[in-house]
């Protein structure tokens, strides 16, 4: 860990859309996911509310390829990673940026069972893919 600095994001949520696996011009895999996290709260008037936050995340290399095989829209996952700013220039030439999580660790918390796991081995499979 660097002296006095920490850049770590931990999220548990569900994929909001199908993952998108792409490759860089040099052939490195990069998986883009959209993760939804929810919070429930009561307003000052006592009304129950639910709020969803959306997070963009990327998973690089072989880990990204492996995740692309198993993750689908709705999959529940745990991710750890570093927050980075994705910078680009829009069509009008204006600089833009979007926060993005570069995933270092991921756990599948349920949903579709990966092939090779029999139905009575676990109720909700948990797979961990880390460095």
């Amino acid at each position: 860990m660097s002296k006095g600095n920490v850049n770590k994001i931990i999220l548990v949520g569900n994929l909001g859309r199908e993952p998108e696996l792409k490759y860089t011009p040099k052939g490195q895999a990069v998986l883009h996911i959209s993760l939804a996290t929810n919070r429930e709260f009561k307003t000052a008037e006592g009304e129950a509310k639910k709020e969803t936050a959306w997070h963009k995340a990327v998973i690089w290399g072989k880990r990204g390829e492996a995740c692309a095989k198993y993750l689908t829209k709705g999959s529940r996952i745990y991710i750890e990673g570093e927050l980075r700013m994705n910078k680009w220039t829009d069509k009008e030439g204006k600089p833009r940026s979007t926060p993005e999580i570069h995933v270092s660790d991921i756990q599948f918390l349920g949903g579709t069972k990966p092939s090779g796991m029999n139905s009575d081995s676990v109720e909700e499979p948990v797979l961990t893919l880390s460095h």
Side-chain angles (χ1 to χ4, degrees), residues 60-118:
W60 291 91
K62 300 248 183 239
R63 181 181 302 121
E65 290 176 322
C67 288
K69 291 179 183 178
Y70 301 116
L71 295 177
T72 60
K73 180 179 178 178
S75 294
R76 186 160 181 78
I77 60 171
Y78 165 99
I79 61 172
E80 287 185 29
E82 179 179 305
L83 183 63
R84 295 188 190 172
M85 294 304 290
N86 183 19
K87 298 178 183 180
W88 76 95
T89 304
D90 70 12
K91 293 176 185 175
E92 287 114 33
K94 294 180 184 177
R96 302 284 185 185
S97 62
T98 303
E100 182 174 82
I101 300 156
H102 285 241
V103 175
S104 57
D105 296 302
I106 182 168
Q107 292 183 18
F108 301 176
L109 299 177
T112 306
K113 290 185 176 149
S115 60
M117 292 187 76
N118 65 37

Side-chain angles (χ1 to χ4, degrees), residues 7-94:
N7 181 352
K8 185 173 188 170
I9 303 292
I10 298 173
L11 297 171
V12 174
N14 295 82
L15 295 189
R17 65 172 194 250
E18 293 298 322
E20 297 175 28
L21 181 62
K22 296 182 179 182
Y23 291 86
T24 66
K26 292 185 178 181
Q28 184 175 22
V30 57
L31 183 70
H32 294 267
I33 60 173
S34 179
L35 187 68
T37 56
N38 298 309
R39 79 177 186 108
E40 295 179 15
F41 61 97
K42 288 192 178 185
T43 65
E45 296 78 30
E47 183 183 354
K49 290 276 189 175
K50 187 174 184 179
E51 185 177 87
T52 301
W54 292 95
H55 314 275
K56 291 182 177 185
V58 295
I59 307 166
W60 291 91
K62 300 248 183 239
R63 181 181 302 121
E65 290 176 322
C67 288
K69 291 179 183 178
Y70 301 116
L71 295 177
T72 60
K73 180 179 178 178
S75 294
R76 186 160 181 78
I77 60 171
Y78 165 99
I79 61 172
E80 287 185 29
E82 179 179 305
L83 183 63
R84 295 188 190 172
M85 294 304 290
N86 183 19
K87 298 178 183 180
W88 76 95
T89 304
D90 70 12
K91 293 176 185 175
E92 287 114 33
K94 294 180 184 177

